[in-house]
Amino acid sequence: MSRREPDTAYIAYPQNTIRIIQSHEFQFLKKFGQNFLIDLHVLDKIVKAADIQPDDVVIEIGPGIGSLTQVVAEEAGRVIAVEIDKRLIPILEQNLAAYRNVTLVQADFLKLDLPEFLKEQQVDRPIKVIANLPYYITTPIIMMLFESGIPLESVTVMVQEEVAERMQAGPGTKDYGALSLAVQYYAEAYIAAYVPQNCFMPRPGVGSAVIRLRRYAHPPVQVEDEKLLFGLIRAAFGQRRKTLVNSVSHDAALGLDKETLLEALRQMGLSETIRGEALDLKQFAELTRILQEARHG
Ligand code: SAM
């Protein structure tokens, strides 16, 4: 991948970003997590990690003033950019006027019915998602993308450094949690770059990282009851300091008593006092299968 124009032709070129912000008298809104990228090398890294090809359909969440949209539009067949902030739509229209393969949509991405949205947009192939995400909605967005059942090839996103590490973490580390297991069930996670604060305007309070999640054709573990698997994971990490048996048996929605759980742990050869954070994805899947059988008598 190589950009087609000199640096000064890009929205993310710092002087251009400043000019756009000033000429529109744009005020950044914290509630929308507005930290725009002003480093072209970082944009290149995102595009490279996402492996954008000429026939790709890319969905971008939160295009801002179009910094990332522009470089992706140079590589992809089509880009559908969904922005919540109405004030940014005329700015985006102006900045991206030369890119005929960009569709701008004003909406809260979290409120979209994704299968319906893809139908409306006449998308008939697996999509790639890219974003420099507002940090407070990272987890719901990632979960929504994987759980919606849409044909999804990969998700390449800028997230808080700590969250990127959580997605990759394994048992026994402080970062390991429900998000690690959910991501690892659906996708292969790879941190493509660490990005310092000075690559954004305004600077965020924390370091960031670009993570690529490549969706598995088949999850690495097989369970019939995905709902039970994720229910167990949520319960186990909701009460991290408690034993697995205590935290899961206290979750009324799961309806599992202590004796059933203890018997399952015995079958798996695990200690009765084990905590959820000690189990890996394979063990959670095995526990799910045993408990599912127990439930059905
Ligand atoms: N992509 C741009 C860039 O890299 O410079 C902007 C990234 S900025 C971190 C996040 C963007 O997401 C903002 O433009 C913000 O308005 C938008 N946004 C926030 N919440 C959103 C939501 N629920 N749906 C769609 N866009 C959202």
Side-chain angles (χ1 to χ4, degrees):
M1 203 247 19
S2 61
R3 275 179 278 114
R4 295 170 196 179
E5 307 286 342
D7 285 4
T8 50
Y10 288 91
I11 298 165
Y13 188 68
Q15 280 91 326
N16 292 341
T17 298
I18 293 170
R19 187 180 38 75
I20 293 165
I21 298 298
Q22 288 180 346
S23 66
H24 292 272
E25 295 178 17
F26 182 79
Q27 305 281 335
F28 293 95
L29 275 183
K30 247 199 165 138
K31 71 164 177 174
F32 288 149
Q34 289 172 339
N35 302 92
F36 300 158
L37 270 165
I38 50 163
D39 187 304
L40 287 157
H41 298 293
V42 172
L43 292 174
D44 290 344
K45 280 186 190 165
I46 299 176
V47 173
K48 191 159 171 259
D51 186 28
I52 308 287
Q53 299 298 320
D55 55 355
D56 278 340
V57 176
V58 176
I59 293 194
E60 182 185 7
I61 305 163
I65 56 170
S67 320
L68 177 58
T69 327
Q70 181 182 30
V71 286
V72 174
E74 286 190 345
E75 306 296 321
R78 185 171 172 213
V79 185
I80 304 168
V82 181
E83 173 58 57
I84 195 170
D85 188 345
K86 290 191 178 79
R87 302 172 305 155
L88 287 168
I89 301 299
I91 305 179
L92 283 162
E93 280 167 354
Q94 192 178 344
N95 290 349
L96 299 170
Y99 297 86
R100 308 305 295 265
N101 57 344
V102 175
T103 309
L104 296 172
V105 178
Q106 193 271 314
D108 178 347
F109 192 82
L110 279 170
K111 295 208 174 121
L112 293 180
D113 174 338
L114 284 183
E116 199 49 44
F117 179 67
L118 293 189
K119 245 192 250 162
E120 276 163 26
Q121 294 292 331
Q122 300 180 330
V123 176
D124 57 1
R125 63 178 62 223
I127 54 157
K128 289 180 178 166
V129 172
I130 53 143
N132 167 17
L133 281 181
Y135 295 157
Y136 63 99
I137 52 170
T138 303
T139 302
I141 292 247
I142 303 260
M143 296 315 294
M144 171 192 184
L145 286 167
F146 286 116
E147 286 174 355
S148 66
I150 55 166
L152 182 66
E153 213 174 302
S154 63
V155 178
T156 306
V157 282
M158 176 87 68
V159 297
Q160 213 172 311
E161 191 177 308
E162 207 184 284
V163 175
E165 276 160 8
R166 235 183 279 155
M167 291 187 202
Q168 272 199 331
T173 63
K174 71 169 176 27
D175 291 327
Y176 188 57
L179 180 66
S180 328
L181 284 157
V183 163
Q184 290 159 27
Y185 179 74
Y186 290 112
E188 177 208 7
Y190 160 71
I191 296 182
Y194 285 93
V195 181
Q197 278 120 306
N198 61 4
C199 295
F200 302 85
M201 186 187 295
R203 292 181 185 203
V206 289
S208 306
V210 176
I211 190 159
R212 182 193 62 215
L213 308 173
R214 209 185 266 149
R215 194 194 180 110
Y216 291 125
H218 304 286
V221 295
Q222 259 70 51
V223 290
E224 260 177 52
D225 193 342
E226 273 185 9
K227 215 174 138 217
L228 178 57
L229 171 68
F230 286 108
L232 289 171
I233 291 172
R234 250 187 293 264
F237 288 96
Q239 312 245 345
R240 230 187 144 103
R241 311 299 307 159
K242 285 190 176 176
T243 65
L244 180 77
V245 170
N246 276 337
S247 48
V248 173
S249 63
H250 283 126
D251 188 311
L254 289 170
L256 291 159
D257 60 44
K258 278 193 180 172
E259 200 35 58
T260 311
L261 288 160
L262 286 169
E263 178 50 33
L265 290 184
R266 263 178 238 125
Q267 277 189 48
M268 289 173 69
L270 295 175
S271 153
E272 294 185 356
T273 57
I274 198 163
R275 288 190 186 149
E277 64 193 12
L279 269 63
D280 63 15
L281 181 60
K282 251 174 114 174
Q283 289 168 312
F284 270 108
E286 192 183 346
L287 182 63
T288 304
R289 283 190 294 265
I290 295 172
L291 292 172
Q292 198 192 344
E293 269 173 36
R295 263 182 175 175
H296 293 105

